[in-house]
Amino acid sequence: MILRGLFMLARGKKTGINEFSDSMDAFTASLAPLIAFPLVGAGISAMSGQWAFALLGLFSRICAVLALPVIIYELAKRTGREALWLRTATALNWSFWMLLPVLFVAAFIAAVIVQFGLAMTQAEIMVLGLAGAYLLWYHWFIMRTGLALSGLQALGLLLFSSLVIAVLSAAPILVFPQLYAQAIQL
């Protein structure tokens, strides 16, 4: 059901949102891999002796992962759409995995474009830009469909949540650049 929902939404089919459960169990299951990857990364950093960097990175990534569901919940609560937030947050969490097929398709398109004479660097920039734009549209579509928002409301939510996540993700580097420099040197 999850894969079917992801691919239906990826093609712009609103009914794909119904493939996701609105239960707390489904939501926590969608969070598990998003928390596991930063945990493993922090463990690797800690084993190399970078405890401070590992902990700071772990906390910022967990905050970034949890920010979107919190923002979705708050907007849903303020707009009287509380019943829709859990399904929407679950779909958004699972949508992370669409990065893989999108990058695969982007790499294929870049290879084809290079065969027509465009430089590899230019092809990569072009297809990564298109892939990024598509993934932003994809999140916008899930937000719009899942929370029954207007296009403009969903755009505002997308921009605000993306900004918050970017700040939370970059915070360790911005606040403690020396820790980042130490980790890079290893």
Side-chain angles (χ1 to χ4, degrees):
M1 285 183 19
I2 292 168
L3 280 177
R4 184 173 51 223
L6 286 174
F7 285 108
M8 288 172 72
L9 290 168
R11 293 188 320 255
K13 294 187 177 196
K14 291 181 179 184
T15 55
I17 198 73
N18 297 327
E19 298 294 322
F20 297 92
S21 174
D22 61 354
S23 71
M24 190 55 76
D25 286 343
F27 173 68
T28 54
S30 72
L31 277 176
L34 299 178
I35 291 174
F37 284 116
L39 190 59
V40 170
I44 292 168
S45 292
M47 289 183 352
S48 70
Q50 297 295 320
W51 284 95
F53 182 75
L55 287 174
L56 193 59
L58 175 64
F59 291 139
S60 79
R61 297 300 175 265
I62 288 177
C63 288
V65 164
L66 295 176
L68 186 56
V70 170
I71 292 168
I72 295 294
Y73 172 77
E74 284 301 319
L75 178 74
K77 188 170 96 172
R78 292 173 196 264
T79 59
R81 295 175 172 97
E82 271 183 276
L84 304 175
W85 89 270
L86 207 51
R87 181 183 314 267
T88 304
T90 301
L92 285 165
N93 287 342
W94 284 118
S95 74
F96 169 80
W97 296 103
M98 285 303 291
L99 180 64
L100 299 173
V102 168
L103 287 178
F104 178 76
V105 170
F108 178 77
I109 292 170
V112 170
I113 291 171
V114 167
Q115 294 302 314
F116 285 104
L118 192 63
M120 179 59 91
T121 304
Q122 292 171 329
E124 288 173 349
I125 290 169
M126 186 175 81
V127 297
L128 287 176
L130 289 172
Y134 172 76
L135 290 171
L136 285 172
W137 171 85
Y138 187 54
H139 278 169
W140 170 85
F141 186 74
I142 292 171
M143 291 171 179
R144 182 173 181 230
T145 302
L147 292 175
L149 299 173
S150 72
L152 196 56
Q153 289 172 317
L155 179 61
L157 176 58
L158 174 70
L159 295 175
F160 177 73
S161 62
S162 296
L163 178 65
V164 169
I165 291 167
V167 167
L168 289 171
S169 296
I173 297 167
L174 298 174
V175 176
F176 298 105
Q178 69 278 10
L179 289 177
Y180 181 70
Q182 286 174 348
I184 295 292
Q185 291 174 359
L186 288 179

